[in-house]
Amino acid sequence: MAKKRPKKAIPGEFGEPFLRWLGATTEEAWSRGAEPTLADFERNGAGGCDWRRGTRWTGGLSDAELAEIEQRFDVRFPAEHRLFLQVLHATEPRMFCAGFDDDDRLVADEAPGFYHWQRDEAVIRAVFAQLVDGLVFDVENNVLWRDSWGPRPGDADERRARVAALVAGAPRLLPIYGHRYVLAEGPTLVLSVWQSDIIVYGRDLRDYLLHELVDAEYERPAIVDTAAIPFWGELIG
């Protein structure tokens, strides 16, 4: 999907001025972008999603709304993620997507952009569930099993239960967009998680948002040592 090269200098620190700048920069780009069509994806021969023309940020959540969301999902947003939700939160309308049907034909679809924690509850819960489901897929189909997980159970249900227990005991990963997740404990990393293929997609939230949305040169923060992150650190590539 297209990114926008900014006209103004990027604010140097993560905070409300940076988020306001990011919101204005991306909305200006989305206001002028072409409306995606199925033909665009057919020409490329690949599925995916793109921003619709006129996409906007919904605006932030109040403290009371955040408290209700944290209770409903049993999560705790780290400080940077909380500020992001207080200033920008989510995008609307839903993204234009294309995917292959059973006959290998591309068909149009739609999906959330940045998740709306009040409207996208079913999708968010599915993305949470995918953390376990994706790992279990690799356990059953790609010979995934780490020595640190203990002896590999002989029964598939027991293997799933062990993976689920390991994920439940690990630092929470909070969905933000697609299969990107914010690490809720420790450094505010953003991880791209697809089954057991896990990479650092943003060294902090500012780095992630620029990486995902803006075509610009900027000084990236130092690489974080992920080895000390319980459970996930062992899987990060």
Side-chain angles (χ1 to χ4, degrees), residues 112-135:
F114 282 79
Y115 293 118
H116 194 296
W117 285 82
Q118 295 166 312
R119 300 177 192 166
D120 295 330
E121 179 169 353
V123 176
I124 290 172
R125 291 195 184 280
V127 176
F128 272 126
Q130 185 57 37
L131 291 170
V132 172
D133 292 342
L135 291 175

Short mmCIF file of all heavy atoms in Angstrom, two decimals, residues 112-135:
data_model
loop_
_atom_site.label_atom_id
_atom_site.label_comp_id
_atom_site.label_asym_id
_atom_site.label_seq_id
_atom_site.Cartn_x
_atom_site.Cartn_y
_atom_site.Cartn_z
N PRO A 112 -10.85 -4.21 8.77
CA PRO A 112 -10.48 -3.01 9.51
C PRO A 112 -9.06 -2.56 9.16
O PRO A 112 -8.22 -3.37 8.77
CB PRO A 112 -10.54 -3.47 10.98
CG PRO A 112 -11.35 -4.72 10.96
CD PRO A 112 -11.10 -5.36 9.64
N GLY A 113 -8.82 -1.26 9.30
CA GLY A 113 -7.46 -0.76 9.26
C GLY A 113 -6.88 -0.86 10.67
O GLY A 113 -6.72 -1.95 11.22
N PHE A 114 -6.55 0.27 11.28
CA PHE A 114 -6.17 0.26 12.69
C PHE A 114 -7.43 -0.06 13.50
O PHE A 114 -8.48 0.55 13.32
CB PHE A 114 -5.56 1.60 13.10
CG PHE A 114 -4.12 1.74 12.65
CD1 PHE A 114 -3.82 2.07 11.34
CD2 PHE A 114 -3.08 1.50 13.54
CE1 PHE A 114 -2.51 2.18 10.92
CE2 PHE A 114 -1.77 1.60 13.13
CZ PHE A 114 -1.47 1.93 11.81
N TYR A 115 -7.29 -1.03 14.40
CA TYR A 115 -8.46 -1.60 15.06
C TYR A 115 -9.20 -0.59 15.93
O TYR A 115 -8.59 0.20 16.66
CB TYR A 115 -8.06 -2.80 15.92
CG TYR A 115 -7.57 -3.97 15.10
CD1 TYR A 115 -6.28 -4.45 15.23
CD2 TYR A 115 -8.41 -4.59 14.18
CE1 TYR A 115 -5.82 -5.52 14.49
CE2 TYR A 115 -7.97 -5.65 13.42
CZ TYR A 115 -6.67 -6.12 13.57
OH TYR A 115 -6.23 -7.16 12.82
N HIS A 116 -10.52 -0.66 15.84
CA HIS A 116 -11.41 0.14 16.68
C HIS A 116 -11.85 -0.76 17.82
O HIS A 116 -12.60 -1.72 17.62
CB HIS A 116 -12.60 0.62 15.87
CG HIS A 116 -13.39 1.70 16.52
ND1 HIS A 116 -14.06 1.51 17.72
CD2 HIS A 116 -13.60 3.00 16.17
CE1 HIS A 116 -14.66 2.64 18.06
NE2 HIS A 116 -14.41 3.55 17.14
N TRP A 117 -11.38 -0.47 19.02
CA TRP A 117 -11.59 -1.37 20.16
C TRP A 117 -13.03 -1.41 20.63
O TRP A 117 -13.39 -2.28 21.43
CB TRP A 117 -10.65 -0.99 21.30
CG TRP A 117 -9.24 -1.40 21.05
CD1 TRP A 117 -8.31 -0.75 20.31
CD2 TRP A 117 -8.62 -2.60 21.53
NE1 TRP A 117 -7.12 -1.46 20.28
CE2 TRP A 117 -7.29 -2.59 21.03
CE3 TRP A 117 -9.03 -3.66 22.32
CZ2 TRP A 117 -6.39 -3.61 21.30
CZ3 TRP A 117 -8.13 -4.69 22.61
CH2 TRP A 117 -6.83 -4.66 22.10
N GLN A 118 -13.87 -0.51 20.14
CA GLN A 118 -15.28 -0.57 20.50
C GLN A 118 -16.14 -1.22 19.41
O GLN A 118 -17.14 -1.84 19.72
CB GLN A 118 -15.80 0.85 20.77
CG GLN A 118 -15.16 1.50 22.00
CD GLN A 118 -15.41 2.98 22.05
OE1 GLN A 118 -15.23 3.69 21.06
NE2 GLN A 118 -15.81 3.48 23.22
N ARG A 119 -15.75 -1.09 18.15
CA ARG A 119 -16.57 -1.62 17.04
C ARG A 119 -16.07 -2.96 16.52
O ARG A 119 -16.83 -3.70 15.91
CB ARG A 119 -16.57 -0.61 15.88
CG ARG A 119 -17.13 0.75 16.21
CD ARG A 119 -17.00 1.66 15.01
NE ARG A 119 -17.27 3.05 15.35
CZ ARG A 119 -16.98 4.08 14.56
NH1 ARG A 119 -16.41 3.85 13.38
NH2 ARG A 119 -17.24 5.31 14.94
N ASP A 120 -14.80 -3.24 16.68
CA ASP A 120 -14.19 -4.42 16.06
C ASP A 120 -13.95 -5.55 17.05
O ASP A 120 -12.99 -6.31 16.92
CB ASP A 120 -12.85 -4.03 15.40
CG ASP A 120 -13.02 -3.06 14.25
OD1 ASP A 120 -14.07 -3.10 13.59
OD2 ASP A 120 -12.08 -2.26 14.01
N GLU A 121 -14.83 -5.68 18.03
CA GLU A 121 -14.58 -6.65 19.10
C GLU A 121 -14.40 -8.07 18.56
O GLU A 121 -13.46 -8.78 18.95
CB GLU A 121 -15.70 -6.63 20.13
CG GLU A 121 -15.47 -7.64 21.25
CD GLU A 121 -16.43 -7.48 22.42
OE1 GLU A 121 -17.20 -6.50 22.44
OE2 GLU A 121 -16.39 -8.34 23.32
N ALA A 122 -15.26 -8.51 17.65
CA ALA A 122 -15.16 -9.88 17.14
C ALA A 122 -13.84 -10.10 16.41
O ALA A 122 -13.19 -11.14 16.58
CB ALA A 122 -16.34 -10.18 16.22
N VAL A 123 -13.44 -9.12 15.60
CA VAL A 123 -12.18 -9.24 14.86
C VAL A 123 -11.00 -9.25 15.83
O VAL A 123 -10.08 -10.06 15.69
CB VAL A 123 -12.04 -8.09 13.84
CG1 VAL A 123 -10.69 -8.16 13.13
CG2 VAL A 123 -13.17 -8.14 12.82
N ILE A 124 -11.01 -8.37 16.81
CA ILE A 124 -9.91 -8.30 17.77
C ILE A 124 -9.80 -9.61 18.55
O ILE A 124 -8.69 -10.12 18.75
CB ILE A 124 -10.10 -7.09 18.71
CG1 ILE A 124 -9.88 -5.79 17.93
CG2 ILE A 124 -9.14 -7.17 19.90
CD1 ILE A 124 -10.23 -4.53 18.69
N ARG A 125 -10.92 -10.16 18.97
CA ARG A 125 -10.86 -11.44 19.69
C ARG A 125 -10.32 -12.54 18.78
O ARG A 125 -9.59 -13.43 19.23
CB ARG A 125 -12.24 -11.79 20.25
CG ARG A 125 -12.69 -10.85 21.38
CD ARG A 125 -13.85 -11.40 22.16
NE ARG A 125 -14.31 -10.46 23.17
CZ ARG A 125 -13.73 -10.28 24.36
NH1 ARG A 125 -12.66 -10.97 24.69
NH2 ARG A 125 -14.22 -9.39 25.24
N ALA A 126 -10.67 -12.50 17.50
CA ALA A 126 -10.14 -13.49 16.56
C ALA A 126 -8.64 -13.32 16.38
O ALA A 126 -7.90 -14.31 16.26
CB ALA A 126 -10.85 -13.37 15.22
N VAL A 127 -8.17 -12.08 16.37
CA VAL A 127 -6.73 -11.83 16.21
C VAL A 127 -5.97 -12.27 17.46
O VAL A 127 -4.86 -12.80 17.36
CB VAL A 127 -6.48 -10.34 15.88
CG1 VAL A 127 -4.99 -10.05 15.79
CG2 VAL A 127 -7.13 -9.98 14.55
N PHE A 128 -6.56 -12.08 18.63
CA PHE A 128 -5.97 -12.63 19.85
C PHE A 128 -5.88 -14.17 19.73
O PHE A 128 -4.84 -14.77 20.03
CB PHE A 128 -6.83 -12.28 21.07
CG PHE A 128 -6.50 -10.97 21.73
CD1 PHE A 128 -7.48 -10.02 21.95
CD2 PHE A 128 -5.21 -10.69 22.17
CE1 PHE A 128 -7.18 -8.81 22.57
CE2 PHE A 128 -4.90 -9.49 22.79
CZ PHE A 128 -5.90 -8.55 22.99
N ALA A 129 -6.97 -14.80 19.30
CA ALA A 129 -7.00 -16.26 19.20
C ALA A 129 -5.98 -16.77 18.20
O ALA A 129 -5.44 -17.88 18.35
CB ALA A 129 -8.40 -16.73 18.82
N GLN A 130 -5.69 -15.98 17.17
CA GLN A 130 -4.77 -16.41 16.13
C GLN A 130 -3.36 -16.61 16.67
O GLN A 130 -2.57 -17.37 16.09
CB GLN A 130 -4.77 -15.40 14.98
CG GLN A 130 -3.94 -15.79 13.77
CD GLN A 130 -4.36 -17.12 13.17
OE1 GLN A 130 -5.55 -17.45 13.13
NE2 GLN A 130 -3.39 -17.90 12.72
N LEU A 131 -3.02 -15.94 17.76
CA LEU A 131 -1.69 -16.14 18.35
C LEU A 131 -1.49 -17.61 18.72
O LEU A 131 -0.43 -18.19 18.43
CB LEU A 131 -1.52 -15.25 19.58
CG LEU A 131 -1.44 -13.75 19.32
CD1 LEU A 131 -1.52 -12.99 20.64
CD2 LEU A 131 -0.16 -13.40 18.58
N VAL A 132 -2.48 -18.21 19.33
CA VAL A 132 -2.40 -19.63 19.68
C VAL A 132 -2.61 -20.50 18.44
O VAL A 132 -1.85 -21.43 18.18
CB VAL A 132 -3.42 -20.00 20.77
CG1 VAL A 132 -3.47 -21.52 20.99
CG2 VAL A 132 -3.08 -19.28 22.08
N ASP A 133 -3.64 -20.18 17.66
CA ASP A 133 -3.96 -21.01 16.50
C ASP A 133 -2.80 -21.09 15.52
O ASP A 133 -2.51 -22.16 14.97
CB ASP A 133 -5.19 -20.45 15.77
CG ASP A 133 -6.47 -20.58 16.59
OD1 ASP A 133 -6.49 -21.37 17.54
OD2 ASP A 133 -7.44 -19.87 16.26
N GLY A 134 -2.12 -19.95 15.30
CA GLY A 134 -1.01 -19.94 14.35
C GLY A 134 0.17 -20.78 14.83
O GLY A 134 0.79 -21.50 14.05
N LEU A 135 0.48 -20.68 16.12
CA LEU A 135 1.56 -21.49 16.66
C LEU A 135 1.21 -22.97 16.61
O LEU A 135 2.05 -23.82 16.27
CB LEU A 135 1.87 -21.06 18.10
CG LEU A 135 2.52 -19.69 18.27
CD1 LEU A 135 2.63 -19.35 19.75
CD2 LEU A 135 3.89 -19.63 17.61
#
